[in-house]
Amino acid sequence: MKRASEEARRIDRLMRWGTATGEDDGRLLERFRHDRDESAFAALVDRHGPMVLGVCRRILRDDRDVEDAFQATFLILVRRAGTIRGADRVGPWIHGVAHRVAVRARADAARRHAREGGDLDAEPAVAAAPSSTVERSESRSILDEELGRLPERLRAPLILCHLEGLTHEQAATRLQQPVGT
């Protein structure tokens, strides 16, 4: 009986919301908020995951810290999904969360290192990297920090076009603004 009611609930959800493919962020977020629809959440992770991973990698050195920050970012989305205003601006919101989580994780790693008093294992790898690679990594980290300082109306189009790879037309549609704006 329990299985039948669960199946009925899934069919009802499918009939009401459809599938996650091709839906905009606002619709996916609403599906997740309303029914805790896992496929809608998975679509949001698929859509914004590469950008979040890039932010975390630019700020953090250790792969484990990167993975932790990535997961923490999406856990915050789970907890705070109901508080996001402007559901069509999920990407910029997630970028800001990822940046703050990664910066906090970097500070925690530095404190942990100072407490342990050990050598920085990741330092030689960074020092051995070509200077152009190090400079590029530092530039991207600075970019993330500066994006975080911009007001939402200016940050959103930059994130959508330059970090998520949308065209100007796609970003304008998602932000419900004219392309020239």
Side-chain angles (χ1 to χ4, degrees), residues 52-158:
V52 170
L53 194 59
V55 169
C56 295
R57 282 184 176 152
R58 288 189 293 273
I59 295 173
L60 298 164
R61 294 181 183 177
D62 186 278
D63 287 339
R64 291 170 297 196
D65 291 340
V66 169
E67 290 174 18
D68 290 346
F70 178 87
Q71 291 176 4
T73 298
F74 285 103
L75 284 173
I76 291 171
L77 175 61
V78 167
R79 286 193 350 244
R80 308 271 322 269
T83 65
I84 299 173
R85 68 176 201 282
D88 57 324
R89 298 170 189 240
V90 173
W93 184 88
I94 290 177
H95 177 274
V97 170
H99 184 262
R100 287 186 297 277
V101 166
V103 166
R104 193 172 308 127
R106 183 177 60 192
D108 291 347
R111 278 192 297 276
R112 188 173 50 247
H113 171 70
R115 225 182 14 251
E116 293 169 358
D119 294 333
L120 270 178
D121 294 334
E123 196 65 44
V126 171
S131 63
S132 62
T133 304
V134 172
E135 289 171 6
R136 195 172 24 243
S137 176
E138 289 175 3
S139 296
R140 290 178 180 160
S141 181
I142 291 169
L143 172 68
D144 289 325
E145 289 178 25
E146 294 303 321
L147 280 171
R149 290 185 180 131
L150 288 174
E152 173 73 19
R153 66 182 178 80
L154 300 176
R155 181 178 59 233
L158 290 171

Side-chain angles (χ1 to χ4, degrees), residues 161-176:
C161 292
H162 297 288
L163 296 180
E164 293 197 13
L166 299 182
T167 65
H168 289 198
E169 291 78 17
Q170 291 168 327
T173 299
R174 191 171 293 175
L175 296 172
Q176 300 175 346

Side-chain angles (χ1 to χ4, degrees), residues 1-10:
M1 186 68 178
K2 183 178 179 183
R3 181 146 173 91
S5 66
E6 183 178 322
E7 192 65 30
R9 190 173 54 100
R10 286 183 182 174

